[in-house]
Amino acid sequence: MINAIRLENFGMHERVAWQNLRPLNLILGVNGTGKTFILKAMYVAMRTLEQYKRGNAQQSLPDILQEKLHWTFQTDRLGDLVNKANHAKLTFAMTVDNDKSISYEFGRDTVGKILKAGTTFQRNRDSNTIYIPAKEVLSLQDVILKSREQDMMYGFDDTYLDLVKALQLPRQRGKNYQYFAASRRLLRDILGGAVDYDEQKHQWYYKKGNTRYSINTTAEGIKKIAIFNQLLANRYLTPRSIVFLDEIESSLHPQAVVAFLQMLYELSQSGMQFFIATHSYFAIKELYLLAQQHHMSIPVLSLSDTGTPAYDDLLAGMPDNSIIDTSIHQYEKEVDFPLENGYAQRA
């Protein structure tokens, strides 16, 4: 589990120091405040740790890190990731599994080679981290694979490529992890059917009753939930996995968002960790209710265009945030509207 992160001069972020992280963690902020940037920075670090000294791989930690940063942020020069507001170096540090860490730094003149990077891990972290972007990938898998593996082109970053490869792993037979089996039943209820992969035709299908539909004609929300179902079924995800969810509400009905978050809570009890970025008041409210119901800490990182982050916890209440403020403002307008109409009619 990620316990804490600290980054300075990373992209648009001058300084973020998020500590005491828990199984469920929330990132808020309007568009352009860097939510995805932070999720990807953590993802790069975790995937580097998981590839480090795995199997017969002989790549050094800086080499793995450099390649992962390059293809995740898709920048020709690593120095382009350094904050332009001052002349200080980009620094990143993350504490994992309570007593281990990974850190690195480089300046704006860095092209590719990272000279200062290290970890206290003696071998790779035995898990599989995954990043689930806002856009679904099932109907795009062939395009993503060709773009990256054949053409070596920018467009779909490593979060997409890693996800497509993970989804293509066959489903495992036999008894699944206890929490995973229960969660998959919840997912099937949300889906209202099943999504399967035809290995011979290399195509995904949505099946409802006895009818099978092309994945291209299936709703975006169904495809997004099916992604998670497949990762549980093929056991790419384990109880030590970390999952990054960008705009969890994308293409999902609020009722499905609530059910999805209930399932994530159940999975978090198995040991999995989640980082959720959202613009949805429904998602924030449901996480707040989960925190109150189970008396559990859910740390919140709120980003703003002022550049100064705020740190809250849903166990202590709903945080001050533009998403929440907008929802409250709409409610107040709705309450005041009948009074204003009534006054105008009487006048």
Side-chain angles (χ1 to χ4, degrees), residues 41-82:
M42 289 191 286
Y43 179 75
V44 164
M46 287 308 306
R47 289 299 293 159
T48 298
L49 290 175
E50 291 166 358
Q51 293 175 22
Y52 179 54
K53 295 185 177 181
R54 174 175 280 191
N56 296 320
Q58 298 299 313
Q59 273 188 300
S60 68
L61 183 85
D63 286 344
I64 299 171
L65 181 60
Q66 181 271 328
E67 184 176 354
K68 209 66 186 171
L69 283 168
H70 171 74
W71 283 108
T72 299
F73 289 99
Q74 299 201 344
T75 179
D76 291 327
R77 300 173 65 261
L78 290 185
D80 292 339
L81 295 173
V82 182

Side-chain angles (χ1 to χ4, degrees), residues 44-45 48-49 52 59-67 69 78 89-94 101-107 110 112-121:
V44 164
T48 298
L49 290 175
Y52 179 54
Q59 273 188 300
S60 68
L61 183 85
D63 286 344
I64 299 171
L65 181 60
Q66 181 271 328
E67 184 176 354
L69 283 168
L78 290 185
K89 291 183 177 181
L90 176 156
T91 63
F92 178 92
M94 188 166 75
S101 65
I102 179 174
S103 62
Y104 59 88
E105 69 174 47
F106 53 83
T110 302
K113 189 70 174 178
I114 301 175
L115 299 177
K116 191 170 182 180
T119 181
T120 57
F121 278 81

